[in-house]
Amino acid sequence: MNKKVLYAIALLLALGAPFYLYPVFLMKVLCFALFACAFNLLIGFTGLLSFGHAAFFGGAGYIAGYALKTLGLPTEIGLILGTAFAALVGLVMGGLAIRRQGIYFTMITLALAQMLFFVFLQSPFTGGEDGLQGVPRGRLLGMLDLGNDVTMYYVVLAIVIAAFALIVRTIHSPFGQVLKAVKENEPRAISLGYDVDRYKLLAFVLSAALSGLAGATKTLVLGFETLTDAHWTMSGLVVLMTLVGGLGTIVGPIVGAIVIIALENKLGDLGAFLARVTSVEWFNTLGDSVTIVTGLIFIVCVLAFRRGIVGEIAARFKPAGRH
């Protein structure tokens, strides 16, 4: 089926979703889908495994929340400030990390992100372990009341679609082709005259900025920000989403985010339902076993579905003889 048709069907489903499912849950899924897509731009199309993306996601959430709650700035300004902060941190972190490759690059991003985590832990404006609570949604452009969940959902959907379109455009642009060349064979890209470090840094900053936009939007949706979003485990979670959905695919991270967030939020309900149907009391404990279930899914994907859900589906339906 044509990709444009699939995108149109997905858009129609997204437009009607808040009338059938809880809008706040859907908005959370959208925010994590954008986070995963931003991360995939770096690892899937540039070949850089960052373990510090939680710094952008959580940091932008804190900055946006502080701007909206304490400074009383308009909603759109809060989102812009959060995104700009993530881009700035990405510029500094990327400038230091791209000097190394492989596991050394990954460890540098992890170390820098954890340093920022402890800054958030000690800073008064973040609320420390209590987090930043009571962040107001406000009004978008002074007109749209974001206090209404359905209105807020469509605003978040518009943000995510615009960011996704930017990612797709980047991937298919000449810049994106250079990123793919760097991933496939960096020495060859250097021999062709490309300033590889400059391209990697630009990709890192763009990925950081979009991750920050996802984090700032999530804070706006939920009305609070905590240290969980800035901890290294959040970086691990976005890696899991990307691998489960399909590394290096365009829509794979979205599918991965849907699967993981749905498991985190709905596994307990599923367990309760199975317990009622089967009269097996053990199913009631499923809600407390989210980490175990997601870990098992990760193991299965690594062992049996190396290309992720979308990657395996695409490979199965690829025309014979096409590579």
Side-chain angles (χ1 to χ4, degrees):
M1 190 180 294
N2 190 288
K3 286 185 179 180
K4 292 183 178 178
V5 175
L6 293 175
Y7 284 149
I9 294 173
L11 178 59
L12 290 175
L13 291 174
L15 290 173
F19 299 105
Y20 300 96
L21 298 171
Y22 185 39
V24 175
F25 167 73
L26 293 173
M27 286 186 279
K28 184 178 179 181
V29 170
L30 286 173
C31 291
F32 276 101
L34 174 55
F35 185 28
C37 286
F39 178 76
N40 185 53
L41 177 64
L42 190 66
I43 185 175
F45 295 96
T46 314
L48 298 176
L49 173 57
S50 165
F51 233 89
H53 265 53
F56 315 132
F57 188 72
Y62 274 123
I63 296 301
Y66 181 77
L68 294 173
K69 178 185 178 181
T70 306
L71 302 181
L73 296 176
T75 301
E76 57 274 12
I77 300 300
L79 293 177
I80 291 172
L81 287 177
T83 305
F85 173 81
L88 180 60
V89 173
L91 180 63
V92 175
M93 188 183 294
L96 295 171
I98 62 170
R99 301 170 186 268
R100 296 292 181 266
Q101 295 180 345
I103 189 65
Y104 302 104
F105 171 88
T106 303
M107 289 298 100
I108 290 173
T109 58
L110 174 61
L112 293 173
Q114 281 302 99
M115 288 173 60
L116 201 57
F117 169 81
F118 286 109
V119 171
F120 293 141
L121 177 62
Q122 300 294 333
S123 297
F125 82 93
T126 64
E129 295 182 354
D130 295 328
L132 192 63
Q133 307 290 334
V135 177
R137 290 182 179 177
R139 304 176 73 88
L140 186 66
L141 301 175
M143 297 181 292
L144 290 176
D145 181 14
L146 300 181
N148 182 286
D149 284 343
V150 175
T151 302
M152 184 71 210
Y153 170 81
Y154 286 117
V155 170
V156 173
L157 181 62
I159 291 172
V160 172
I161 289 175
F164 181 73
L166 174 62
I167 292 172
V168 173
R169 181 69 188 90
T170 300
I171 291 169
H172 292 102
S173 68
F175 172 73
Q177 298 306 311
V178 174
L179 294 183
K180 292 177 185 177
V182 171
K183 178 188 176 184
E184 295 298 328
N185 195 325
E186 185 173 331
R188 179 177 292 180
I190 294 173
S191 69
L192 291 174
Y194 292 108
D195 187 347
V196 169
D197 284 349
R198 177 170 165 266
Y199 279 93
K200 289 197 291 187
L201 181 59
L202 286 173
F204 195 94
V205 172
L206 179 58
S207 178
L210 291 172
S211 298
L213 177 60
T217 305
K218 176 178 173 288
T219 298
L220 183 66
V221 168
L222 300 181
F224 62 86
E225 179 61 46
T226 64
L227 289 169
T228 303
D229 287 347
H231 195 256
W232 69 267
T233 51
M234 183 59 69
S235 296
L237 187 65
V238 76
V239 172
L240 178 62
M241 291 177 185
T242 307
L243 291 178
V244 169
L247 184 67
T249 61
I250 294 177
V251 299
I254 298 176
V255 174
I258 293 172
V259 170
I260 299 302
I261 299 303
L263 279 175
E264 286 190 347
N265 288 265
K266 302 300 182 181
L267 190 60
D269 295 339
L270 176 62
F273 172 76
L274 291 175
R276 287 197 303 271
V277 172
T278 63
S279 298
V280 177
E281 195 64 27
W282 176 82
F283 283 118
N284 281 319
T285 64
L286 274 180
D288 301 323
S289 308
V290 173
T291 304
I292 297 174
V293 174
T294 53
L296 288 174
I297 290 175
F298 177 70
I299 293 171
V300 170
C301 283
V302 170
L303 295 178
F305 303 98
R306 296 290 296 274
R307 287 171 288 203
I309 297 172
V310 174
E312 291 293 338
I313 293 174
R316 180 158 303 226
F317 288 96
K318 184 182 292 185
R322 185 176 174 181
H323 300 284

